Amino acid sequence: MSKYDFYKKKSVHFNITKEAHAAFRIACFERGLSMQEVIEEFSQRILIQHPHIIKLLDEVSENKKNKTKKSFSKTDIDSIFNILESEDPFKKWGVKWDVEKKSMITN
């Protein structure tokens, strides 16, 4: 690694909803991908003007203009938390996620 490699990368920080983060993380995990790998690929496709990605950007822009907001249904949210609970590394310590209360509980 060259002492100048840090000039080739940029750090990005942004905030998204907890629900969106959970869904994104799960989707990446299920495919053996890191969230960083997916964001990098998405950015690369913007760079080459990939038509599907540009269409997505146009849709997001239009939704923003019309103030429409995507939201998850209660079923979607419950499904996400159920998946997180089934993959929960804290189970071995007798702690689990309560979907209804959206909090950790001990057995």
Side-chain angles (χ1 to χ4, degrees), residues 5-18:
D5 282 346
F6 65 93
Y7 289 115
K8 295 178 184 177
K9 299 272 186 177
K10 297 297 283 183
S11 178
V12 178
H13 178 84
F14 51 88
N15 293 310
I16 59 176
T17 64
K18 288 181 182 181

Side-chain angles (χ1 to χ4, degrees), residues 14 16 23 46 60 64 66 94 97 101:
F14 51 88
I16 59 176
I46 290 171
V60 172
K64 183 177 179 179
N66 296 329
W97 183 258
K101 295 180 182 176

Side-chain angles (χ1 to χ4, degrees), residues 27-73:
C28 291
F29 176 80
E30 290 175 340
R31 291 161 178 82
L33 299 168
S34 71
M35 292 166 51
Q36 181 175 334
E37 289 171 317
V38 174
I39 295 298
E40 173 69 23
E41 182 65 25
F42 181 78
S43 300
Q44 291 295 330
R45 289 184 186 203
I46 290 171
L47 179 66
I48 64 169
Q49 296 287 300
H50 188 284
H52 292 108
I53 301 303
I54 299 306
K55 182 179 178 186
L56 173 66
L57 291 175
D58 291 342
E59 289 173 9
V60 172
S61 176
E62 191 62 32
N63 289 343
K64 183 177 179 179
K65 288 177 191 172
N66 296 329
K67 304 247 185 236
T68 57
K69 181 180 176 184
K70 296 264 181 193
S71 62
F72 290 100
S73 69

